[in-house]
Amino acid sequence: MNYPVFSLSPSPSLFVIVLLLFVQVPSSVSNSALFNDCSNKFVCGNISADFPFWGTGRPPACGIPELELKCETNIAKMNINQVAYRVLDINQDDGILRIAREDLLVGLCPPQFVNSTFNPKVFESVEGYTNLTFIYGCMAAPTPILVPGLFTCKINAVNYQSGYIQAGATGPGDCYGSVFVPISITDLSPVVIMPDLEQSLKEGFEVRWKVDGEACRECNSSSGVCGIDSVTNQTTCYCLNQSSGSRTCALPGSTPNAAPAIPAPELEDGRKGYLSCYVTVT
């Protein structure tokens, strides 16, 4: 049995009201709000940052999803691939982030058994660092080991407490677990002095983030504020009293430079699909 959606007779005005309920019309008002929100810097302790970071007053549209910053007891922190890090420095001129693993700030034992890995689409390594693996829960350390370094660590439900350090990113082998983390090459020596190594872990390591810096500079030079388009996941420019989707902001009486057009998707049978479009009301 078919049931009517409305019991009232339809009228043109009713159809307009229903259409407005289901169609979201973007406006310059929301773009101005993002301009204001993304103009605010993240500030926590001695750490401050803007694009491509977001969090704590900067909504997700202000930065790359993987670069969310949090402020806890005046300490900047972030999570990357399920590992908690303390943010030690952000160099926005060079695009370099210095971070330290939270679990290793208090010593080698016990760690969170998750390796320090990074999405290559968002991050890239910085010259001067190499991976070092900490291996836990072993009956005995193998000989010879490439980077001499032995330690003990009591882990719940694990009978063996011996651990050792090995160069490179390796697995635990016959041991219980392992964690690899980047460390400065200059901090490595033929003979590992554990207090020095733990201090090096506290000083953290550097990674470089990948972002379209040129697009952001063009946006900033036109008095705009950089953000991320949630649909294309590309850099966009937020402007006061102007629609989003532009690469730069327009001067009074001119037209903003539009973002590159997105080609129509190709369907599985080889036919070209249709792209829907909307009209921005200002």
Side-chain angles (χ1 to χ4, degrees):
M1 180 179 295
N2 295 326
Y3 294 94
V5 177
F6 298 103
S7 59
L8 300 175
S9 298
S11 65
S13 60
L14 182 59
F15 282 125
V16 172
I17 294 173
V18 173
L19 181 63
L20 290 176
L21 288 175
F22 289 94
V23 177
Q24 182 179 0
V25 182
S27 68
S28 61
V29 176
S30 59
N31 194 44
S32 294
L34 286 172
F35 174 89
N36 292 326
D37 289 339
C38 297
S39 295
N40 297 324
K41 280 193 172 186
F42 170 89
V43 178
C44 181
N46 63 340
I47 300 296
S48 65
D50 47 31
F51 184 83
F53 296 90
W54 65 281
T56 311
R58 290 174 54 83
C62 296
I64 297 174
E66 291 87 349
L67 295 180
E68 178 186 8
L69 296 173
K70 300 178 181 179
C71 189
E72 300 177 7
T73 61
N74 216 30
I75 297 174
K77 299 181 180 182
M78 66 188 307
N79 289 288
I80 304 175
N81 284 356
Q82 301 181 338
V83 177
Y85 293 94
R86 183 170 300 187
V87 179
L88 304 179
D89 185 58
I90 296 177
N91 185 333
Q92 297 214 234
D93 292 334
D94 297 329
I96 293 178
L97 174 70
R98 176 179 285 273
I99 51 180
R101 287 181 61 122
E102 282 280 343
D103 57 342
L104 298 180
L105 288 176
V106 294
L108 296 179
C109 182
Q112 176 190 3
F113 287 104
V114 180
N115 294 318
S116 288
T117 58
F118 300 87
N119 183 350
K121 294 182 179 180
V122 180
F123 299 97
E124 62 185 6
S125 60
V126 174
E127 186 177 357
Y129 290 88
T130 187
N131 282 314
L132 201 63
T133 301
F134 300 85
I135 302 177
Y136 297 80
C138 308
M139 289 184 60
T143 54
I145 52 180
L146 298 180
V147 180
L150 302 174
F151 60 90
T152 59
C153 179
K154 181 175 177 57
I155 303 173
N156 293 336
V158 178
N159 295 326
Y160 306 114
Q161 301 181 17
S162 296
Y164 66 98
I165 303 167
Q166 186 163 316
T170 66
D174 295 330
C175 301
Y176 173 76
S178 64
V179 172
F180 63 75
V181 59
I183 192 169
S184 173
I185 294 175
T186 58
D187 292 338
L188 295 178
S189 61
V191 178
V192 175
I193 302 175
M194 295 308 294
D196 293 346
L197 181 59
E198 291 180 351
Q199 179 59 35
S200 179
L201 292 173
K202 293 178 181 179
E203 294 173 358
F205 58 92
E206 294 177 327
V207 291
R208 180 178 284 106
W209 65 80
K210 297 179 179 180
V211 68
D212 187 356
E214 181 60 30
C216 193
R217 282 188 289 271
E218 289 181 11
C219 173
N220 291 336
S221 64
S222 68
S223 300
V225 176
C226 292
I228 288 292
D229 188 306
S230 61
V231 177
T232 65
N233 202 33
Q234 299 295 319
T235 304
T236 190
C237 193
Y238 300 127
C239 314
L240 272 176
N241 304 318
Q242 293 180 21
S243 61
S244 59
S246 300
R247 189 176 180 90
T248 59
C249 298
L251 296 174
S254 62
T255 303
N257 292 327
I262 302 173
E266 184 170 319
L267 304 179
E268 292 183 357
D269 59 3
R271 294 178 298 127
K272 289 291 183 179
Y274 293 93
L275 287 178
S276 60
C277 62
Y278 57 81
V279 177
T280 300
V281 179
T282 57

